[in-house]
Structures are given as structure tokens and as C-alpha cells.
Amino acid sequence: MKQKTDLLQGTLDMLILRALVTGPMHGFAIMSRIHQTSESALQVEQGSLYPALYRMEAQGWIHAEWGLSENNRRAKYYALTEAGRRQLGVESENWNRMCRAINLVMDFPL
Amino acid sequence: MKQKTDLLQGTLDMLILRALVTGPMHGFAIMSRIHQTSESALQVEQGSLYPALYRMEAQGWIHAEWGLSENNRRAKYYALTEAGRRQLGVESENWNRMCRAINLVMDFPL
DNA sequence: TGCTTCACCTAGATAATCTAGGCAAACCCA
DNA sequence: TGGGTTTGCCTAGATTATCTAGGTGAAGCA
């Protein structure tokens, strides 16, 4: 049985980029942010998050820097780059297009 | 580079089930139907469609029967079962929940 | 001292979809 | 009659994203 918290594939990068628009955050905070703003409907697993952050840093969409968290623990802060901001635009548009297309099919008159 | 026609993973079964609500159809027709009703935004590949149809028949969501197409060619007609109709409800609800959740994150105030 | 929470990391499994082929019959046209 | 195009079905293997299930270490608290 699938978990209801499974993400739609292809949306994780977009969600992370979107979370970072408000400013640099560390991985753990990104996780909680997505969980909270989605009203607990979305739960990103750590095993998905960290590889994604790596991928995205390699792509140049985000930039990492070690720092200290609010709780005085070492944490890696990720910040959106210019390329990341552009990528967010692309993915966001793509998402809207897909959403619309699927809803066209779903709402097609019987 | 990803094709813009790539489907969001997890939505294919739902789209097929939805297409069949209007009545039994063969695979080829399901493909065109989805393409048309989505205004060409969605393009299901045959290599995705047929395995999906098999999966879904094994699950008991659809029932297949050989027949003749409008063009007088042999074609396998798929019909929605009762279980398939229920499944469509489940997946449709799930899709709406996910959509809403993602949009909550995307539209979160800065 | 020991438990819990925060925070990061990774290997391997899982599963959905796509790529890229192939087959056969019907129709059309020369 | 023969060849090309369209219709329609099928499959093996690659790709890729995400999850599962483990792990580490340091901070804070009792």
C-alpha cells in the first residue's frame, strides 16, 4: 500500500527551490517548512531530501555553506542562486501546465 | 533534456481509468483520447500505455475483450470494472489532495 | 551517565515511465 | 499485385526519482 505522503515525482526539486525563496535554510528546516506549509499533507523523507540537495547543488541551483542552526548545532545552509531562481520559474510553469492538462482530462464532460 | 510531454508519475492509471468512464475503448483510442482532451499537452507513449493496461487488468480495475475497431481491425477493448470505478475515486481524491498541497507550498506568502 | 532531538549522510530497493525496437493485418493507390 | 501507410498490439531494457532503512555525531536535559 502506498503511503499517502508519497510525493508526486518531479515536484521535489520545485518544492525545495520554492522553500528557499524566503531565504537560506538548512536541510532539516526545508523538510519541516514543506511539511508545515502543505498542512502536513507532504512529508519529504530525509533519504529523498539530501540526495536532492546534492543534485541541485551540482546543477548550480543552490549554494551550500556550513553554519550554526538556531539550536546551536552545525548545519548546512542552502541558498538559491540566480540559476536556481530561473529553474524555479521553469519548473513552476511546467507544473501549472501539467496540472491544467490533467484536470482537463479529469473534468472532461461524460 | 526532458520532454515537455512527460507525464507526472502516478497519474497514468488515473487518466486511463478516467478515459474509460465514457465506455469501453481500445488502447490506441485511449491514447488519442488523452492526447485530445488534454489539448495535446499530454502524450502517453505506447511503451507506457500497454504495460499499464496489463497492470490494471491484473488488479481487476479493467476488463479486456478482443473485438473489432471502427476501422475493422482487431483491437482489445478495455472496460471499467466496479473496482476500477472505485479506484478512480481513490486516485482522483488523492490527486486533488496532492495538487492542493503542492499549491499551498507554491503559493505560500513570501 | 543516558535519552531524546537535531542534523546530516548513504547504499540499495522499488517502481513508474520512456526508449526503441518489433509484429501483423487492413486499407489505399499505382 | 505489390508497396507504403496507418492502425493496433507487444516487450525488453534503460532511466530516474523517490523511499527504506540503516548509520554518524553533537547538543541539551534529567
Side-chain angles (χ1 to χ4, degrees):
Chain A
M1 187 70 82
K2 287 263 207 48
Q3 289 306 104
K4 53 176 148 211
T5 52
D6 272 17
L7 290 176
L8 277 169
Q9 273 203 204
T11 58
L12 178 55
D13 292 3
M14 179 178 79
L15 293 171
I16 293 175
L17 290 171
R18 181 53 179 78
L20 291 177
V21 168
T22 52
M25 301 173 84
H26 53 80
F28 211 81
I30 293 174
M31 247 179 57
S32 339
R33 167 66 69 96
I34 291 176
H35 189 248
Q36 276 166 30
T37 59
S38 71
E39 296 175 0
S40 302
L42 266 26
Q43 176 68 53
V44 181
E45 302 301 326
Q46 299 199 4
S48 311
L49 178 71
Y50 290 110
L53 289 171
Y54 269 4
R55 258 201 325 267
M56 294 167 69
E57 198 189 359
Q59 299 270 330
W61 299 338
I62 55 180
H63 172 76
E65 214 158 286
W66 283 101
L68 268 189
S69 78
E70 323 78 58
N71 301 310
N72 202 33
R73 288 182 170 85
R74 76 190 243 292
K76 215 187 221 169
Y77 280 83
Y78 291 92
L80 214 52
T81 63
E82 223 5 86
R85 205 171 290 271
R86 276 196 306 274
Q87 180 64 15
L88 175 56
V90 170
E91 299 207 11
S92 176
E93 248 180 68
N94 202 50
W95 162 253
N96 286 326
R97 204 162 36 73
M98 278 303 187
C99 242
R100 184 171 165 279
I102 289 177
N103 287 328
L104 275 175
V105 176
M106 296 307 289
D107 300 340
F108 191 73
L110 292 183
Chain B
M1 187 71 80
K2 286 261 207 47
Q3 289 306 103
K4 53 175 145 213
T5 52
D6 273 17
L7 290 175
L8 277 168
Q9 271 202 206
T11 57
L12 179 55
D13 293 3
M14 179 178 81
L15 292 171
I16 293 175
L17 291 171
R18 181 53 179 76
L20 292 177
V21 168
T22 52
M25 300 173 85
H26 53 80
F28 212 80
I30 294 174
M31 246 178 58
S32 335
R33 168 65 68 96
I34 291 176
H35 190 247
Q36 276 166 30
T37 60
S38 72
E39 297 176 0
S40 302
L42 265 27
Q43 176 68 53
V44 182
E45 302 301 326
Q46 299 197 3
S48 312
L49 177 70
Y50 291 111
L53 288 171
Y54 270 4
R55 261 200 324 265
M56 295 167 68
E57 197 189 359
Q59 299 269 332
W61 298 338
I62 55 181
H63 172 75
E65 213 159 288
W66 283 101
L68 269 190
S69 77
E70 324 77 57
N71 300 310
N72 201 32
R73 288 182 169 84
R74 75 190 242 293
K76 216 187 222 170
Y77 278 84
Y78 290 93
L80 215 53
T81 63
E82 224 3 87
R85 207 171 289 272
R86 276 197 304 276
Q87 180 64 17
L88 175 56
V90 169
E91 298 206 12
S92 174
E93 248 180 69
N94 202 50
W95 162 253
N96 286 326
R97 203 161 38 71
M98 277 304 186
C99 238
R100 184 171 165 281
I102 289 176
N103 286 329
L104 275 174
V105 176
M106 295 308 289
D107 301 340
F108 191 74
L110 294 183

